[in-house]
Each structure stands twice: as C-alpha cells, then as structure tokens.
Amino acid sequence: MADLPIRPTDRRRRRLLASLGALGAGTLLSGCDWTKSQGVQDFLGRTEDLTQAAMRLVSSREALAREYPTSAIADTFRPNGSIQPQTDAYQALVDNDFADYKLAIHGEVANPQALSLAQLKAAPARTQITRHDCVEGWSCIGQWTGARLSDLLDRAQPTENAKYVVFHCADHLLGAPEPYYESLDMIEAYHPQTILAYGLNGADLPVANGAPIRLRAERQLGYKMAKYVMDIELVNSFADIQGGKGGFWEDRGYNWWAGI
Ligand SMILES: Nc1nc2c(c(=O)[nH]1)N[C@H]1C(S)=C(S)[C@@H](COP(=O)(O)O)O[C@H]1N2
Ligand SMILES: [Mo]
C-alpha cells in the first residue's frame, strides 16, 4: 500500500506545534522586548492561517497561558493604540476618579447588570503575571489584577442564544467614527485567566493601559484585550455590530481568532 498522504489538518497541527516550540525556545523574554522579535514574527506568520478549530485540537479549553515570576515584570508596561480617550464622557469619568463609572452587562442575558468599580473590585478576583504579545512584534510582561469574567457572566445569566461576548470601549482609535470594540467566544470568556483588570503591577490601572478596566484574555493576542471597557454585550452574531467582523482590527482585516 502506498504511503498515506498527510492530511492538511495534520500538517497544520504539526506546523502549530513547531511554532509553539520556536516561541518557547526563542522568545522567553523578560520585561518589554522593544526589538521586533523574530520569534514572535515567525510565530504570528505561521499561525495566521490556523483556524480556531485546529487550535482547539492542541490546547484544551482549560489550558492556562504561561505565568511568570515577579522578577520578570517590566518596569513600565508599554502602552499601545489609544492611550488617552478623547471624549468628554470619558474625561468626566477620569475627573471624578471613575466614581461614576458603571459597567453594563446586557444583550443575551436574563439578568442585566450595572456594576460600579467598587462592585467590580469586590467580585471574585485573580492576579496573574503574563506576557502580552502584540502583532506589531513586541512583548511585555505585567502583573494584572481583576474580576473574573466568569463570575460576572454567571450573575448576568447568559441565555441559550449567547455565543459571543462583545466589549465596547470608550476610545475612537485612528479617529474612527465608532469606538474600539472586541469580542471573545464563550469558551475564552469563561477561561480562568480571563479577567476584567483594574490593577497593573499592584497599582490602579493607568489611563494609558485602559482605566478603569481592561480585558485580559491571556491566550489571545494583544488587540483582543480591550481597554477602556464601557459595556459588555452578549450576542448570537456580530452581523449588526459595526463592520460585522467582531472587532475593530477584525473589521480592518485581522483574524477574529487570535489565539496564541
Ligand atoms: N480600547 C482599546 N483597546 C485596545 C487597543 C486600543 O487602541 N483601544 N489597542 C489594542 C492593542 S493592539 C494592544 S497591543 C493592547 C495594548 O495594551 P497596552 O496599552 O496596555 O499595552 O491593547 C489593545 N486594546
Ligand atoms: Mo497590539
């Protein structure tokens, strides 16, 4: 019998495993890596065509992103994208130290929520030291503290129709008419390292990094981690939201699936 041809899915899996190995060996960076790391660039290039399904074949829904020792934390967490939202509404929140901030959780939920920052800080929390990987080719290690999204979603009680969690932000990146937004599926949203962070390196989250809260979804690339989250909407489809692709950068051509 002739050799069995390698199925495309096997080839993709093998390529993924190889790139995970390359990332591990070549890019164990401490602090911020300001150079365009070749490891990250190769990794991103090679994983671009991976589907979410292929990714899930090699990492379980519970697998944790790597966590680091405190010695690996960068002095300053490099800010990127919007660093100071320009709207009057956001400036008013800053001026009052976010005392008037309320996070709405709405859409496909049985029990909509409106949570103050104090309520978010009182919710079950997690602290994690992780490496953030931006598609622009830099990485940075920081310690994040925040409310576990799983607990907040449980309070809101997603309906049977809920397939995605959409994060609507305060900022208009690149002067866009509509604000930045991002989304996760329910598996990533319920992952134990998915938190709404209000703390960075033991202090309040700075405005440059997304105050008062920003998403951390540690198995995803940087652009998924929405800063300045103003409300969270559970939906069955992205079709009616902005460009319909599930995120600011997705509407401009990036992959929706940004798992690493
Ligand atoms: N609201 C909002 N969230 C955002 C962005 C942004 O411009 N606006 N940029 C994304 C990108 S590309 C990256 S790499 C990270 C940067 O987070 P940082 O500023 O804490 O480094 O935020 C992501 N989330
Ligand atoms: Mo990024």
Side-chain angles (χ1 to χ4, degrees):
M1 206 172 103
D3 284 342
L4 285 173
I6 300 171
R7 284 182 297 137
T9 46
D10 290 344
R11 215 178 291 134
R12 261 195 299 189
R13 264 181 88 162
R14 217 168 299 153
R15 238 170 27 198
L16 169 68
L17 292 169
S19 48
L20 286 173
L23 190 67
T27 58
L28 292 182
L29 313 166
S30 89
C32 282
D33 170 29
W34 295 79
T35 64
K36 294 241 171 207
S37 154
Q38 197 52 47
V40 172
Q41 290 299 304
D42 290 352
F43 174 71
L44 295 173
R46 270 177 281 169
T47 55
E48 217 147 57
D49 59 345
L50 276 170
T51 62
Q52 178 180 354
M55 196 76 195
R56 290 260 157 79
L57 281 176
V58 295
S59 78
S60 87
R61 52 168 61 198
E62 294 299 329
L64 294 182
R66 178 170 178 178
E67 296 192 14
Y68 293 78
T70 48
S71 58
I73 297 172
D75 292 338
T76 305
F77 196 91
R78 176 181 174 165
N80 196 43
S82 295
I83 56 171
Q84 173 74 67
Q86 297 298 321
T87 65
D88 292 345
Y90 182 80
Q91 197 49 49
L93 290 175
V94 173
D95 290 345
N96 208 6
D97 234 0
F98 300 105
D100 301 322
Y101 173 81
K102 279 267 164 70
L103 174 71
I105 306 180
H106 62 109
E108 289 288 349
V109 294
N111 190 19
Q113 304 284 307
L115 302 165
S116 67
L117 197 50
Q119 284 174 303
L120 289 168
K121 287 183 175 177
R126 191 176 201 278
T127 293
Q128 56 207 26
I129 301 173
T130 53
R131 195 185 69 197
H132 176 106
D133 295 315
C134 173
V135 284
E136 291 168 11
W138 56 270
S139 300
C140 200
I141 294 174
Q143 180 190 57
W144 304 97
T145 300
R148 295 169 184 262
L149 186 58
S150 57
D151 285 280
L152 305 177
L153 292 177
D154 279 347
R155 287 194 216 178
Q157 298 170 26
T159 69
E160 292 283 300
N161 286 334
K163 266 182 81 175
Y164 303 104
V165 181
V166 180
F167 304 85
H168 297 285
C169 307
D171 58 309
H172 296 252
L173 185 58
L174 308 174
E178 295 183 283
Y180 197 94
Y181 78 109
E182 256 306 334
S183 59
L184 299 176
D185 63 18
M186 298 302 277
I187 292 176
E188 289 304 302
Y190 270 90
H191 186 269
Q193 288 168 315
T194 298
I195 60 174
L196 296 181
Y198 44 74
L200 172 58
N201 299 339
D204 282 345
L205 183 65
V207 165
N209 303 103
I213 61 161
R214 70 95 51 83
L215 175 66
R216 296 300 308 172
E218 304 293 355
R219 303 193 303 181
Q220 301 281 316
L221 288 170
Y223 63 87
K224 300 298 279 188
M225 300 197 222
K227 309 196 284 187
Y228 319 109
V229 177
M230 294 292 124
D231 74 271
I232 295 180
E233 182 184 9
L234 279 78
V235 299
N236 184 251
S237 143
F238 306 132
D240 296 333
I241 301 176
Q242 298 198 28
K245 298 281 189 348
F248 179 91
W249 285 114
E250 288 87 332
D251 285 342
R252 290 158 181 80
Y254 284 31
N255 280 356
W256 178 79
W257 178 249
I260 48 178

